[in-house]
Amino acid sequence: MRARLNGIFALVLAAAVAASAAYAADTIGLARKLVGYTGGVSLILRNFEGGMAASVQAPDIFRQSFEQALADNVQTLAAADEDLAKAYARLYSADQMSAEIAFYESPEGQNIMTKSRDTFGVVVWPDPGTPGLTAEQSAALVKFHETVKRRAAIAAGNSEATDAIMTAETDALVKIRSAAFANYCKIRDCKAEKVSPPPQ
């Protein structure tokens, strides 16, 4: 009898472990998808690009140098995005991430993203009351904004996870920034322009 109970317990434990592993795999999968939809570390870097370009005498050449730095450091960006996804998986529930992903994959979200890319070259989320939006798009945007605010509130309440997110972003930023300035100085006379590339 005891052997039978032990066998049943072992089966239940194995099933629980398998379910936990499947849940974890599902969560990291959602986290990777969310990182992809939100632009990942590359978008964070591009938010700094304009300021960096403005600090040199030839902004257009710096932008070319920045693009080259991104192309030369694809593995760095991929690793940073994976670290970001792991942090998201620890921080956000599957339901939280699924709710946001659902908007990105909805007809309304897809339409807004396509129109924004065609107009601005990047995704710029409009205000729900922006003229030209359908009633369905406005309603979807309202829910989306609420979902993003909830995610921000969750992150603000967990300093450890926030630190992990910041580390993933900052490490990539430092490397790409250094490479971009190094590329720029191969073309321009940085000494004459008094540009000091940051250390790599």
Side-chain angles (χ1 to χ4, degrees):
M1 181 69 174
R2 180 174 293 177
R4 184 178 178 187
L5 287 174
N6 286 342
I8 292 172
F9 177 75
L11 285 173
V12 171
L13 181 61
V17 170
S20 177
Y23 179 78
D26 181 56
T27 303
I28 190 64
L30 288 170
R32 287 172 180 147
K33 188 176 284 191
L34 182 58
V35 167
Y37 278 128
T38 55
V41 174
S42 292
L43 182 60
I44 303 296
L45 291 168
R46 290 196 180 283
N47 288 337
F48 286 91
E49 179 190 1
M52 290 187 285
S55 70
V56 296
Q57 292 182 22
D60 289 346
I61 292 177
F62 183 85
R63 291 189 181 93
Q64 294 169 16
S65 302
F66 181 86
E67 292 296 332
Q68 187 61 51
L70 291 178
D72 291 341
N73 288 277
V74 171
Q75 291 183 340
T76 295
L77 294 172
D81 278 348
E82 182 63 13
D83 287 343
L84 204 56
K86 289 175 182 175
Y88 281 10
R90 291 193 300 270
L91 184 59
Y92 306 122
S93 69
D95 288 345
Q96 170 70 37
M97 292 187 287
S98 293
E100 192 167 339
I101 290 168
F103 169 78
Y104 289 113
E105 296 182 346
S106 69
E108 293 80 15
Q110 290 288 314
N111 185 282
I112 293 168
M113 286 191 288
T114 298
K115 186 174 181 179
S116 181
R117 288 194 189 100
D118 290 346
T119 304
F120 305 108
V122 294
V123 174
V124 178
W125 296 113
D127 182 84
T130 301
L133 293 175
T134 66
E136 292 79 10
Q137 289 171 346
S138 293
L141 277 168
V142 169
K143 289 180 64 177
F144 171 64
H145 288 172
E146 291 171 353
T147 302
V148 173
K149 286 178 182 177
R150 282 196 298 272
R151 183 156 67 85
I154 292 169
N158 190 317
S159 59
E160 184 178 338
T162 302
D163 286 345
I165 292 171
M166 291 297 294
T167 297
E169 295 170 351
T170 302
D171 287 351
L173 173 61
V174 169
K175 188 162 187 176
I176 300 299
R177 181 173 178 263
S178 297
F181 274 102
N183 290 340
Y184 177 83
C185 291
K186 290 175 184 175
I187 302 170
R188 302 285 296 185
D189 185 348
C190 283
K191 186 174 181 180
E193 293 181 18
K194 297 180 181 179
V195 173
S196 299
Q200 294 196 47

